[in-house]
Amino acid sequence: MERLEQPMPLLHPTIGSVVEDITLHKRRVVRFREVSGSQRSSWTTYYDNVKVLVFMVDMTNQYQVSQVQVELLNMLSCEKLSGVPIAIVFNKTHSPLALPLPKFYSVTMLHTIIAASNFVIKVFETDFRTDHGVESLVVWLKDRFKD
């Protein structure tokens, strides 16, 4: 599996904001800023100079479905993000507690939202605990940062 040139950090829920510099293509350092869902009200303050946006959805948290839809619509209407490629990452999709993706798409009208958007949006199904789907996300991210 193609991986980043350095090990992935231990995975745990983000509290607040975490900044991680990661080396891509053996020479380019890319700064990743992870901002937790609990910090939603401040997300827009981080939108300046964004090159790629990764929107992570914990599929085992079924109570967040309506909030995910609202936040995604807010991001897609934000001028600062115009032209920024977006990865929507459905994480923990293989958990027995996960909301089935067809139900998520139906409830949030995600197909309609993506089709009506002017953004390049790529959807990933992952489980970071088992590495399922992570390789395709890493490849997609690396492609966004090629010189």
Side-chain angles (χ1 to χ4, degrees):
M1 175 164 96
E2 182 175 353
R3 298 297 293 189
L4 301 172
E5 278 79 26
Q6 59 199 53
M8 294 273 290
L10 290 176
L11 299 172
H12 50 80
T14 304
I15 298 172
S17 176
V18 176
V19 176
E20 187 85 31
D21 289 335
I22 298 178
T23 303
L24 296 176
H25 307 295
K26 297 184 181 170
R27 67 188 191 303
R28 183 163 183 193
V29 175
V30 177
R31 174 156 290 166
F32 285 87
R33 180 178 304 275
E34 182 178 1
V35 184
S36 74
S38 65
Q39 301 292 312
R40 274 187 285 291
S41 62
S42 69
W43 282 1
T44 57
T45 62
Y46 298 103
Y47 288 171
D48 292 325
N49 301 314
V50 169
K51 304 295 183 236
V52 174
L53 193 137
V54 178
F55 187 70
M56 182 80 69
V57 180
D58 178 350
M59 294 304 288
T60 63
N61 185 350
Q62 297 184 23
Y63 300 106
Q64 74 175 356
V65 173
S66 61
Q67 191 63 47
V68 166
Q69 182 186 35
V70 168
E71 294 306 331
L72 185 58
L73 288 169
N74 285 339
M75 286 189 302
L76 296 176
S77 65
C78 181
E79 283 292 319
K80 288 181 179 180
L81 294 176
S82 180
V84 171
I86 298 175
I88 300 175
V89 180
F90 295 114
N91 194 31
K92 302 179 190 170
T93 55
H94 285 85
S95 168
L97 302 174
L99 179 68
L101 278 172
K103 186 171 185 174
F104 183 90
Y105 272 85
S106 173
V107 169
T108 62
M109 299 176 51
L110 189 60
H111 285 298
T112 304
I113 291 170
I114 291 173
S117 164
N118 292 325
F119 287 80
V120 173
I121 299 175
K122 177 77 173 163
V123 175
F124 296 90
E125 295 178 33
T126 65
D127 193 323
F128 278 79
R129 298 168 303 172
T130 64
D131 268 354
H132 169 79
V134 175
E135 178 180 7
S136 59
L137 174 60
V138 169
V139 169
W140 187 85
L141 286 169
K142 281 183 154 187
D143 287 346
R144 306 287 78 72
F145 290 100
K146 283 186 177 174
D147 290 332

